[in-house]
Amino acid sequence: MTETFRALLIEDRDGKPAAGFRDLTVDQLPDHEVLVEVAYSTLNYKDGLAITGKGRIARRLPMVAGIDLAGTVVESRSDRWRPGDKVIVNGWGLSETEWGGYSRFQRLKPEWLTRLPQGFSLQDAMAIGTAGYTAALCVDALEDWGAIRPGGAEVLVTGAAGGVGSTAVSLLSAKGYTVTAATGRPETHDYLAWLGATGFVDRATLAEKGSPLQKERWAGAVDSVGSTTLANVLAQTSYGGAVAACGLAGGFDLPATVMPHILRGVALLGVDSVMAPQAKRDRAWATLAAHLDKAHLDRIARVEPMSELPGLAADIVAGRIRGRVVIDIAG
Ligand SMILES: NC(=O)c1ccc[n+]([C@@H]2O[C@H](COP(=O)([O-])OP(=O)(O)OC[C@H]3O[C@@H](n4cnc5c(N)ncnc54)[C@H](OP(=O)(O)O)[C@@H]3O)[C@@H](O)[C@H]2O)c1
């Protein structure tokens, strides 16, 4: 294959990472076993940092940006994958140590690929993206812990109007849990109620330092905020409950005490999507395929052409993006 195609490359320019569109050929891609034609990727905060240069995401240069992708296998030297297979890749160091999704073609290791679940299109998969897949990992972790019960005590979702939060609200409510949304944006209440939230908490009430043990309220929680928010959520979690923590939108510190853990048996379940083993990924995507309302996806996500990435990256870093942005790689 000698034709050229476009990719968004982070390169070294005078000692600093700089992003720009470049024409590549398949020969220039890494020598991994599976060649995928990428249809869609997504825009995440991490991508914004990489493209604007506001964060050092790429650990080697040149680097094709984009932390996830969905596409079709074109060639394969692995007997696990055949041309025509529809696949998803989330994490595995894409855009950090491995070339990522903002490229019409990419070569990938066979073990990084997840089969597209039945019922989802490639566009659906990226409307869910890494944020939605992480939300599913959190829900699975809470269910495994065994503290949450459909129709039972409330499950809290922090950062509820964000990418992880919106999908967590939708998924938990579809599974019959009673969901309360913590958000700083009252204008999103109608949207969150439509996704299934039945209660609301102003995120400011969780931002102030609170006492180590507070009134028991949550059977479980999905937290994408961290810092004092996570400390307060732990202090408000009921006996035997659990909090699945995946994010740091409010800060990476955790000013908490051991009290909820040693007096109430509360569990803090760490959730990582980047290096999660394949079995967890397959299960998370199966959870999404079985329970996520497709109508919710259409409202959570919008599609933008790859040519718009530089402006979109600046927008997400400045907090101007709402919902999820799917990137059309052919655009
Ligand atoms: N562990 C993993 O593998 C993994 C995977 C994906 C994402 N993440 C992390 O999860 C977090 C959320 O990702 P996302 O894609 O959902 O991001 P996002 O779409 O930007 O949403 C983050 C949400 O957090 C809330 N928030 C923002 N700043 C805050 C602050 N200072 N204090 C309290 N709340 C604040 C906002 O919710 P409201 O508007 O509702 O208040 C915002 O919508 C990020 O930290 C991301 O890096 C981790």
Side-chain angles (χ1 to χ4, degrees), residues 44-45 130-131 134 159-165 182-185 188 203 224-225 229 246-250 271-274 323-324:
N44 298 274
Y45 191 77
T130 298
T134 303
V164 173
T183 180
R185 291 182 274 169
T188 63
R203 85 179 193 198
S224 59
V225 173
T229 298
C246 69
L248 39 66
V271 173
D272 164 62
S273 68
V274 177
R324 306 237 339 107

Side-chain angles (χ1 to χ4, degrees), residues 100-116:
Y102 297 154
S103 172
R104 183 74 190 276
F105 292 94
Q106 194 53 274
R107 275 217 199 89
L108 301 144
K109 291 189 183 173
E111 61 268 28
W112 295 343
L113 309 183
T114 298
R115 200 168 293 281
L116 181 76

Side-chain angles (χ1 to χ4, degrees), residues 234-246:
L234 288 166
Q236 295 170 8
T237 298
S238 302
Y239 195 96
V243 180
C246 69

Side-chain angles (χ1 to χ4, degrees), residues 16-245:
K16 288 190 182 146
F21 289 108
R22 293 278 176 268
D23 286 333
L24 299 180
T25 62
V26 164
D27 291 345
Q28 292 172 279
L29 297 175
D31 187 29
H32 297 317
E33 292 93 322
V34 188
L35 177 67
V36 172
E37 180 170 13
V38 182
Y40 298 100
S41 181
T42 69
L43 177 75
N44 298 274
Y45 191 77
K46 207 170 175 179
D47 299 313
L49 292 176
I51 296 169
T52 58
K54 294 226 161 86
R56 284 221 175 225
I57 303 301
R59 281 183 249 148
R60 61 183 181 86
L61 299 176
M63 174 61 63
V64 173
I67 69 166
D68 49 22
L69 61 88
T72 307
V73 173
V74 179
E75 291 171 11
S76 174
R77 303 197 304 264
S78 156
D79 50 16
R80 283 163 66 175
W81 301 102
R82 286 196 306 220
D85 286 345
K86 307 271 187 220
V87 296
I88 309 165
V89 185
N90 298 101
W92 294 120
L94 259 54
S95 99
E96 297 177 55
T97 52
E98 304 290 345
W99 279 18
Y102 297 154
S103 172
R104 183 74 190 276
F105 292 94
Q106 194 53 274
R107 275 217 199 89
L108 301 144
K109 291 189 183 173
E111 61 268 28
W112 295 343
L113 309 183
T114 298
R115 200 168 293 281
L116 181 76
Q118 286 222 327
F120 281 146
S121 65
L122 293 172
Q123 187 178 319
D124 292 338
M126 287 295 100
I128 294 164
T130 298
Y133 144 67
T134 303
L137 288 173
C138 290
V139 172
D140 288 344
L142 288 179
E143 290 187 329
D144 287 349
W145 184 255
I148 61 174
R149 206 166 42 76
E154 290 165 278
V155 181
L156 180 70
V157 176
T158 65
V164 173
S166 301
T167 313
V169 169
S170 172
L171 210 47
L172 284 162
S173 85
K175 294 191 118 196
Y177 299 105
T178 310
V179 184
T180 294
T183 180
R185 291 182 274 169
E187 67 274 19
T188 63
H189 284 194
D190 285 350
Y191 162 72
L192 290 166
W194 182 74
L195 293 181
T198 49
F200 295 95
V201 168
D202 179 351
R203 85 179 193 198
T205 65
L206 296 169
E208 297 298 319
K209 192 169 169 11
S211 48
L213 286 175
Q214 301 171 32
K215 186 164 179 278
E216 291 174 70
R217 181 157 181 200
W218 320 114
V222 173
D223 177 64
S224 59
V225 173
S227 192
T228 45
T229 298
L230 176 55
N232 282 316
V233 172
L234 288 166
Q236 295 170 8
T237 298
S238 302
Y239 195 96
V243 180

